[in-house]
Amino acid sequence: IQAIYHLVHSYPYLLPDILMVGLLSGICLIVGTMIGSGIFISPKSVLLYSGAVGPCLLIWTACGVLSTLGALCYAELGTMITKSGGEYPYFMEAFGSIVAYLYSWTTIMVLKPSSFAIITLSFAEYASTPFYPGCSPPLIVTKCLAAAAILIITSINCLSVKLASYVQNFFTAAKLIIILVIVGAGIVLLAQGKTENFSNAFDGTATSFGAIGLAFYNGLWAYDGWNQLNFITEELKDPFRDLPLAIVIGIPLVTVCYVLVNVAYFTVMTTTELLLSPAVAVTFGDRVLYPASWIVPLFVVFSTFGSANGSCFTAGRLVYASGREGHMVKILSYINVKRYTPAPALIFNGVLAIFYIIPADINTLINYFSFAQWFFYGLAALALIVMRFTRKDLDRPVKIPVVLAGIMVLVSCYLVLAPIIDQPELEYLYCTIFIFSGLILYYPFVYRKVNWGRKIMRPITMHLQLLMDVAPPEKTE
C-alpha cells in the first residue's frame, strides 16, 4: 500500500482530476469484469450439469446471447435514467423506494462483497498453488492472500479513479492475451485432426429441468459483469453513445472468447479428464504449452485480479448512490475532497468482502449469488416494461423491442425457480429471508427517520469525515 502511495505521488498524471470514462475504458470495464476466474473454473460445472460436450457448448453460447439480451435492456434503462448505481435508480423510478431499498440492502450487504470475495479467493488459489507443488495450499495462506488483494485493490480505487482505470485496462489486455494463446493452441490442434472428443457430442445429455438450470447458473456466473457500466453511468463521457456501444462490442467479444476457449479445452481433454481436473486452464497449459505452461496460471492470476478491481470499482458507486438517497448512512455517500473518489463506500465494501472470505465456501457463495442476482436482473427487465406505460414522458435514446425484456423476465423466472423446484435447498430460503429482513431497518431509519438514529450517527459521521477527509458531493464541486 505504501508503494501505491509513492507511485501516485511520484507520477502526477495518476493524480485524480475527475476522470470521465470513455468508450475504450468502458469496454475494458465490461470485458475485464466479465472475464475473471469463471472461464477457468466454470467449464467443469457447466459440463457436469449439462452432461456432454454438445449441450455444454450450446449452453455457453446461450449464456452469451442471454447476457447480451439483458445488457440491451440495461442500455435502454441506462440511457433513459442516466444515474449511477446499476439497477438501484431504475427500481426507484419504476417501483418506488421500498423495492430500491431492498435491492441496495441485499446487493451492498451480500451480493457485491461476496462477489468480490469469490474473485479474490480464486486469485489467491491460483497465485499460491505454484508454491505448494503436489498439494493444495493451506487454507490460511489462501485467505490471507485474498485479504491482501482486497486491501490493495480497495487502496488503488480510493487513491485515484484514473489509476483504477489504468489498472483495469492493463489487466483486461493481459487476460485477452492468455485467451488468444489458449484459442490459438486449440485451433492448431483442431487443424491437426484432434476432433475425437467432438464425436457423439450429445451422448449423455442431461434432461433434468433443474440440472439445465444449474448449468446455466454456472455459465452465467462466468458471464456476470455485463451490467457493470450501468453502475458508473454518471462518470461516462457520453452515456448515450458509449453505454450501448460498449455493450454491443464487449459482450459478443466475451461470448466468442468463451466458446472458443471451451472448444480448445475439449480438443485436449475428454469429458472425464476435464471433470477430474483441479484447474482446467492449468491442465490445458501443462499438456499443450510445456515447458512454457507457467504462463497460464500467471495470466489467470492477472485475470482474476483485474476482475476483482472492476468489481470493486463499480460496487463503491452503488453504495454511494444508496447513501445519497438516504437508504444507507450518509457517510457512505461522501467523496474524498482531494481525490474525488467515494472512499467510504469503497472501504465499506472491502471490509465486508474480508468478512466473507473468513468462512468462504466458493460453491455455496456462487449459488447464493446467482439466485438473488437473477431475481434482480428479471426485476430490472420488468421495470423497463412497467416504465413503457408509466413513464412515457422519459426520453429513450436507445429503445429495444419490449418482447426482449419479456424474454428476459421469463428466463430470469426459470433460473430462479428451476433449481428450487428440482433440488430445494435451505440457502434459497435464507436468501429470501435476508432480502426481506431489510424492512426491519427500513421502517424506523428510512421511512420514519427517527431522531435518535440521527443523534447517534451525527458524531460518528463527523469523526469519520475528519478521519477520511471526505465531504458531501455538493461541497466538493
Side-chain angles (χ1 to χ4, degrees):
I1 293 172
Q2 286 179 340
I4 295 168
Y5 273 103
H6 175 72
L7 177 69
V8 172
H9 288 294
S10 299
Y11 297 93
Y13 63 84
L14 292 179
L15 288 173
D17 53 316
I18 301 177
L19 174 72
M20 299 301 287
V21 177
L23 178 60
L24 178 61
S25 292
I27 294 170
C28 286
L29 180 64
I30 290 176
V31 174
T33 307
M34 288 178 73
I35 303 177
S37 60
I39 188 58
F40 310 111
I41 296 173
S42 294
K44 288 201 303 181
S45 302
V46 176
L47 178 61
L48 175 66
Y49 292 116
S50 61
V53 173
C56 179
L57 294 176
L58 288 177
I59 285 172
W60 278 105
T61 306
C63 286
V65 172
L66 184 59
S67 299
T68 305
L69 288 180
L72 289 174
C73 294
Y74 277 61
E76 176 174 331
L77 290 166
T79 53
M80 179 175 62
I81 303 170
T82 54
K83 292 182 180 180
S84 295
E87 294 88 341
Y88 179 77
Y90 316 144
F91 292 161
M92 182 74 82
E93 195 70 43
F95 305 121
S97 178
I98 292 179
V99 175
Y101 170 80
L102 290 177
Y103 165 76
S104 64
W105 159 258
T106 308
T107 305
I108 290 169
M109 299 304 294
V110 178
L111 300 185
K112 279 294 184 183
S114 69
S115 175
F116 196 12
I118 289 166
I119 299 167
T120 52
L121 282 167
S122 298
F123 160 83
E125 287 178 6
Y126 274 97
S128 58
T129 296
F131 299 97
Y132 296 90
C135 65
S136 300
L139 200 57
I140 187 67
V141 172
T142 302
K143 292 186 176 183
C144 286
L145 191 55
I150 290 170
L151 289 173
I152 292 170
I153 291 167
T154 303
S155 299
I156 290 171
N157 281 269
C158 287
L159 281 169
S160 168
V161 176
K162 188 177 287 188
L163 178 59
S165 181
Y166 288 156
V167 168
Q168 189 66 29
N169 293 353
F170 172 79
F171 283 104
T172 298
K175 63 184 68 182
L176 288 176
I177 288 171
I178 190 60
I179 284 177
L180 284 174
V181 169
I182 293 173
V183 170
I187 291 172
V188 170
L189 291 170
L190 282 173
Q192 293 173 349
K194 298 278 186 179
T195 58
E196 56 269 17
N197 291 335
F198 296 97
S199 59
N200 303 317
F202 288 87
D203 287 355
T205 300
T207 55
S208 166
F209 185 71
I212 298 298
L214 287 170
F216 269 98
Y217 257 9
N218 284 273
L220 289 166
W221 178 73
Y223 277 97
D224 199 71
W226 47 264
N227 65 330
Q228 295 301 292
L229 214 53
N230 292 72
F231 283 88
I232 60 164
T233 308
E234 293 172 31
E235 296 172 66
L236 294 175
K237 288 180 180 176
D238 183 0
F240 306 112
R241 168 185 173 270
D242 294 343
L243 180 61
L245 269 180
I247 286 169
V248 169
I249 295 170
I251 299 174
L253 173 63
V254 172
T255 304
V256 170
C257 288
Y258 278 8
V259 174
L260 291 179
V261 164
N262 275 276
V263 170
Y265 289 157
F266 286 121
T267 61
V268 175
M269 290 173 274
T270 64
T271 55
T272 303
E273 289 171 337
L274 192 143
L275 289 172
L276 292 175
S277 171
V280 178
V282 174
T283 302
F284 179 90
D286 290 340
R287 294 190 180 187
V288 178
L289 303 176
Y290 186 84
S293 56
W294 55 269
I295 68 170
V296 174
L298 175 65
F299 276 86
V300 171
V301 167
F302 288 170
S303 178
T304 48
F305 190 89
S307 186
N309 180 72
S311 176
C312 178
F313 187 83
T314 57
R317 275 60 182 176
L318 172 59
V319 183
Y320 162 80
S322 184
R324 185 173 60 183
E325 296 292 336
H327 285 176
M328 289 286 160
V329 291
K330 276 292 180 183
I331 187 67
L332 296 178
S333 68
Y334 290 8
I335 63 175
N336 188 277
V337 296
K338 295 177 181 176
R339 304 185 181 282
Y340 301 104
T341 58
L346 290 164
I347 293 169
F348 182 74
N349 181 65
V351 169
L352 285 179
I354 289 174
F355 278 112
Y356 273 105
I357 67 174
I358 295 171
D361 173 1
I362 289 181
N363 290 326
T364 302
L365 281 174
I366 289 172
N367 289 337
Y368 186 51
F369 172 75
S370 298
F371 165 76
Q373 192 64 72
W374 275 95
F375 172 76
F376 288 122
Y377 287 157
L379 204 59
L382 182 62
L384 185 150
I385 298 171
V386 168
M387 285 190 283
R388 286 287 181 92
F389 300 97
T390 61
R391 295 306 308 271
K392 295 180 180 179
D393 56 307
L394 291 175
D395 184 36
R396 292 172 169 81
V398 175
K399 191 172 183 179
I400 65 166
V402 74
V403 67
L404 296 183
I407 292 171
M408 190 69 183
V409 171
L410 292 175
V411 171
S412 298
C413 289
Y414 169 75
L415 289 172
V416 169
L417 296 175
I420 299 174
I421 294 170
D422 191 64
Q423 292 182 334
E425 298 277 350
L426 278 177
E427 63 190 22
Y428 301 124
L429 177 62
Y430 296 153
C431 180
T432 305
I433 292 171
F434 182 86
I435 291 173
F436 289 100
S437 68
L439 294 173
I440 298 171
L441 297 175
Y442 177 84
Y443 181 74
F445 297 113
V446 179
Y447 183 73
R448 294 295 300 272
K449 294 183 172 63
V450 291
N451 287 327
W452 59 267
R454 294 184 178 186
K455 289 178 181 178
I456 292 172
M457 285 307 302
R458 191 173 292 117
I460 296 173
T461 300
M462 183 185 70
H463 285 94
L464 289 175
Q465 193 173 348
L466 291 170
L467 177 66
M468 293 186 282
D469 198 15
V470 295
E474 62 270 15
K475 298 290 180 63
T476 61
E477 292 175 354

